[in-house]
Amino acid sequence: MAAVTAGHLLGFGLCSFIHFDKDRKFTVFVICGVIHALSEIVLPLWLNFPFMLTMGLVSGLTNAIFGTLLTSVIQLTTPQDMMGKVFSILDTFMGGFIPIAMAIGGVLAEFISIRVIISSCATIMLACFIGCLFVPAIKQFINSGPTVDSRL
């Protein structure tokens, strides 16, 4: 977990001074999403400690960049008066499913290896992510800039 945290710190640090051009934002988003999912798939399967540290670092780095891009786009496209509502719903979904996932994972771990469960969940995450890439509105959303509020 320390490697994932170090990767997060590195990713957030990089995002603080690197500007992603509007044309490349979606490409960086896709690359980070795919690499993050792939690193999460292989992380529990190989029990080589240096390899696991590397995959944890890569996972944290790409997750931080992916999350920063997604959050910044949501902030740019959400009207100011709706920002609290949008982020409270987003946080509810992100945080609310954690206990449910832990409960399901705990029950499954009685029957299936936890390493297989983690890799399977990351594979499902990758499949869902790739499926979303075929929706044209997602690319438009990620590449979008700030909206202009006519009331200002």
Side-chain angles (χ1 to χ4, degrees), residues 17-118:
F17 66 86
I18 292 177
H19 174 73
F20 298 106
D21 292 333
K22 194 174 183 177
D23 336 345
R24 295 187 180 152
K25 199 185 303 184
F26 184 72
T27 305
V28 172
F29 181 78
V30 170
I31 289 170
C32 286
V34 170
I35 291 175
H36 171 69
L38 290 175
S39 65
E40 290 288 324
I41 290 169
V42 299
L43 178 66
L45 297 180
W46 286 332
L47 297 179
N48 179 335
F49 189 68
F51 177 78
M52 292 174 76
L53 282 176
T54 304
M55 287 298 101
L57 187 70
V58 167
S59 175
L61 173 77
T62 54
N63 186 26
I65 296 170
F66 178 89
T68 300
L69 285 173
L70 185 60
T71 303
S72 66
V73 168
I74 293 171
Q75 287 176 337
L76 288 171
T77 56
T78 304
Q80 189 68 30
D81 59 335
M82 296 294 293
M83 192 81 66
K85 295 173 184 153
V86 168
F87 277 97
S88 66
I89 290 171
L90 185 64
D91 287 345
T92 299
F93 277 114
M94 289 189 318
F97 285 123
I98 292 172
I100 296 168
M102 292 176 93
I104 292 170
V107 171
L108 287 175
E110 293 293 325
F111 309 104
I112 305 170
S113 166
I114 193 69
R115 293 174 22 208
V116 172
I117 293 170
I118 293 170

Side-chain angles (χ1 to χ4, degrees), residues 116-137:
V116 172
I117 293 170
I118 293 170
S119 289
S120 299
C121 288
T123 303
I124 292 168
M125 176 179 69
L126 178 62
C128 292
F129 180 71
I130 290 174
C132 289
L133 297 179
F134 292 106
V135 179

